[in-house]
Amino acid sequence: MRWIRVSYPDRYFTRPAQLADYCGWRTRTRNGSLEVCPIEVYEQRPPSLLYPSRLATPATAGTPAAYRHVDQWPRQDDLARDVRPLVEAELQRLAQRQSRGASWAAFQLDTLATPGPELAQHLQGWYQRIAAELPHSSLWAIDIDPWFSSRQTVIRGLFAAAELPELLARPAQEFPGLPAARGLQGSMGRGIAPTIELALAATSPWVLGITATRVGAGLIVVLFGHPEAGRADVFASELIELYRPRLLSSAERVVQPQPTVTATQIEALLRWWIGQLNKLFGLLLDPTNYPNNDNSYNAQAHFGDLLSLDRLLACVLGVLIHARRDEFSRKLLLFDCLDLLEGFHQGGYEQLCNPRTVREQLDELTTLLPAEVGQLVLPRCHRAVEALEQLQDGFYVHERLGSAGLQIRNKRDQLETVSLPAAVARYLRVVRNATHAFHQMAQRRPDHISLLAAHNGELSPDLSDLAFLHFVRVLADPAELLPRALRQQRYGTNT
């Protein structure tokens, strides 16, 4: 059984017993200190904060009972009491556009703003129209346990209390609460939709479904039953797109065709994805995974990981939605993802960008994924690894190439030989470090400049999808996010 000692401020928003009910913790007092343990850990059962339910298919679209599931969701009407006139005006504007994208935007907005007692009826009206056009579609509800948000709130509160104890000393009428970094929390703090959208965009620029949020309640998901084009089939649907920067990528020579995907595969992906998210959030919202050496709770490290996960999710989603359009942004987001993954104990560029190592990681991932899931997510991963391997062909200085690899200058300005896979990993680090200016690099790092000169700089568009590959690896085995020693202690994994 895992417990952790929490420094609980005397002046906090609730008593320890109420705290336990609020966020699903067991509490106990030992040697005068409060210790906590998540209920699912105490009961030795898998975490389950998200619950998917299929509400309707085209065969049951006209059945009112199919939509009654959402009647039990918490009401959000007080949050949107004054916005309905604005919503109606926007819905009318979207209807006038008469485009598929505008129609889905209207679905999201109407689902968000519809009063609770009317939600089931509205969903039925929407889905009957959707089902008439998408005969293999399905409508889903994702229930979100209140502990999902309350645990994040408590973690942020304990972080703020540890770093800003003077706030707790203010008079009651001046106490502002503990809003530290609240605005930096994204997909986890403000809704689960982006984490599900990662799965729906796995075949980008083809998409598999659409989400619609109910604040503090749950998520509605429409699975199309087949891949839909995520953007217009023209290079630039808007004038501003012609101004995109064209750095950090070679020309796009191959058009990605519509993938062959079945409704069964898409539903399998959604179920698997949510099951793995439960494991991921169960691990990262567990305070016992953030101990100091004396088993006291490290709120700073815990909250930092939550912010990092939010950033990682946003960057990977950005890599997906910009596919075949904005390759410059995709490369920058890839580098952000690699930095974040390094912070999550996934290794540096030597592990994340070495073609030989990443090929082995992809082979291992293939064995972990259910077949139907792999058929959807692995093609993008294979293309990313192939793009990484092709970087080895970019070292064009034949005079420095041999059977053992590539000769480059080291930090002492002497020639040494490194293998081509290692050279690729180091080269990508050099490209990433251009953020710090090549001028300084030329003066201080002859090894980096040597690599820069030895490669032709052609980066395939598919290379950016390394971010997606490494995220799917994390999702397939979330325990990998923990430090190695703690991972072995908690889960007995061999690393």
Side-chain angles (χ1 to χ4, degrees):
M1 190 61 58
R2 307 199 307 263
W3 295 84
I4 194 161
R5 189 172 74 254
V6 172
S7 178
Y8 190 76
D10 291 334
R11 181 187 169 181
Y12 207 47
F13 53 78
T14 186
R15 295 188 299 274
Q18 294 172 315
L19 174 72
D21 291 336
Y22 178 63
C23 57
W25 287 349
R26 290 276 186 165
T27 61
R28 70 182 185 186
T29 301
R30 295 190 66 184
N31 301 321
S33 297
L34 177 69
E35 294 186 342
V36 304
C37 172
I39 285 178
E40 62 269 24
V41 174
Y42 182 85
E43 297 177 351
Q44 298 183 354
R45 57 179 173 83
S48 186
L49 299 171
L50 310 174
Y51 310 89
S53 301
R54 186 171 62 185
L55 301 184
T57 64
T60 59
T63 306
Y67 307 90
R68 293 303 178 198
H69 179 89
V70 299
D71 287 342
Q72 63 184 317
W73 280 4
R75 296 288 188 252
Q76 62 170 45
D77 304 340
D78 289 343
L79 301 176
R81 181 173 298 171
D82 300 325
V83 302
R84 192 66 201 183
L86 297 176
V87 169
E88 293 294 346
E90 179 63 11
L91 290 174
Q92 291 179 11
R93 188 188 71 84
L94 290 170
Q96 291 171 357
R97 295 185 62 182
Q98 296 182 341
S99 70
R100 209 165 183 81
S103 178
W104 287 120
F107 166 72
Q108 289 183 321
L109 180 59
D110 198 29
T111 301
L112 171 65
T114 294
E118 303 172 19
L119 179 59
Q121 182 179 356
H122 270 246
L123 285 178
Q124 180 176 349
W126 271 105
Y127 186 61
Q128 284 182 287
R129 296 192 294 273
I130 292 168
E133 296 185 17
L134 302 176
H136 302 292
S137 64
S138 54
L139 182 71
W140 294 69
I142 312 298
D143 291 73
I144 304 173
D145 193 298
W147 291 345
F148 179 76
S149 60
S150 58
R151 287 180 179 180
Q152 295 175 66
T153 299
V154 169
I155 291 165
R156 181 170 49 79
L158 292 173
F159 160 74
E163 287 297 312
L164 301 168
E166 54 267 39
L167 284 180
L168 300 174
R170 288 184 180 180
Q173 64 273 19
E174 298 179 14
F175 181 60
L178 297 170
R182 184 167 54 201
L184 297 181
Q185 290 187 278
S187 54
M188 286 183 64
R190 298 177 184 174
I192 198 67
T195 64
I196 306 299
E197 289 165 349
L198 277 170
L200 303 181
T203 55
S204 173
W206 304 88
V207 293
L208 306 175
I210 195 77
T211 67
T213 299
R214 293 290 291 182
V215 177
L219 191 71
I220 298 296
V221 180
V222 177
L223 299 183
F224 300 147
H226 64 266
E228 287 259 317
R231 58 171 61 96
D233 59 349
V234 292
F235 177 74
S237 58
E238 296 177 311
L239 174 62
I240 197 68
E241 292 186 21
L242 297 176
Y243 291 79
R244 286 191 302 267
R246 291 170 173 80
L247 294 178
L248 300 182
S249 182
S250 56
E252 300 174 25
R253 301 181 178 90
V254 179
V255 176
Q256 294 296 339
Q258 180 178 7
T260 302
V261 175
T262 67
T264 301
Q265 289 174 316
I266 298 173
E267 291 192 11
L269 173 63
L270 180 66
R271 291 186 185 277
W272 178 84
W273 198 273
I274 292 175
Q276 296 305 117
L277 286 177
N278 275 321
K279 296 177 183 178
L280 175 66
F281 292 134
L283 181 143
L284 283 179
L285 294 176
D286 180 354
T288 69
N289 285 326
Y290 293 86
N292 291 311
N293 293 333
D294 61 354
N295 201 47
S296 61
Y297 173 55
N298 189 331
Q300 294 88 336
H302 196 178
F303 186 64
D305 268 8
L306 297 189
L307 291 181
S308 294
L309 179 63
D310 264 334
R311 184 74 64 89
L312 179 63
L313 292 168
C315 288
V316 177
L317 186 57
V319 165
L320 293 178
I321 65 175
H322 290 304
R324 320 307 290 187
R325 274 296 187 268
D326 190 348
E327 291 302 328
F328 177 68
S329 295
R330 278 183 17 109
K331 290 299 186 301
L332 298 183
L333 290 169
L334 167 64
F335 295 141
D336 280 350
C337 287
L338 294 172
D339 291 343
L340 289 161
L341 288 162
E342 185 172 2
F344 272 124
H345 318 289
Q346 301 304 295
Y349 277 62
E350 296 77 10
Q351 290 76 39
L352 298 171
C353 295
N354 182 302
R356 185 179 300 153
T357 302
V358 177
R359 172 63 70 178
E360 293 172 354
Q361 293 169 340
L362 176 58
D363 291 342
E364 180 182 2
L365 177 62
T366 302
T367 67
L368 293 176
L369 297 181
E372 290 179 316
V373 173
Q375 290 165 2
L376 280 177
V377 304
L378 288 177
R380 173 168 242 108
C381 299
H382 279 287
R383 292 194 298 269
V385 175
E386 290 165 5
L388 185 64
E389 292 170 337
Q390 290 168 8
L391 277 180
Q392 297 172 110
D393 300 332
F395 292 110
Y396 65 93
V397 187
H398 300 298
E399 294 82 355
R400 292 191 178 184
L401 287 168
S403 58
L406 174 73
Q407 281 190 321
I408 61 172
R409 287 185 290 163
N410 59 25
K411 294 180 181 179
R412 299 182 299 277
D413 210 13
Q414 300 169 335
L415 287 177
E416 66 175 24
T417 300
V418 298
S419 69
L420 284 184
V424 165
R426 294 186 191 182
Y427 176 71
L428 287 176
R429 185 79 178 193
V430 169
V431 176
R432 179 261 184 203
N433 284 345
T435 306
H436 306 300
F438 286 125
H439 177 74
Q440 294 183 10
M441 188 186 301
Q443 294 179 320
R444 303 173 185 174
R445 295 300 301 263
D447 53 330
H448 287 182
I449 290 298
S450 182
L451 274 169
L452 188 68
H455 198 277
N456 62 20
E458 294 287 330
L459 307 179
S460 166
D462 291 326
L463 182 66
S464 305
D465 290 315
L466 279 177
F468 181 70
L469 163 61
H470 288 307
F471 177 75
V472 175
R473 286 182 52 239
V474 165
L475 195 61
D477 187 7
E480 289 289 323
L481 291 177
L482 296 177
R484 180 175 301 180
L486 187 62
R487 189 162 69 240
Q488 291 175 328
Q489 174 190 342
R490 295 282 192 261
Y491 302 96
T493 56
N494 295 318
T495 56

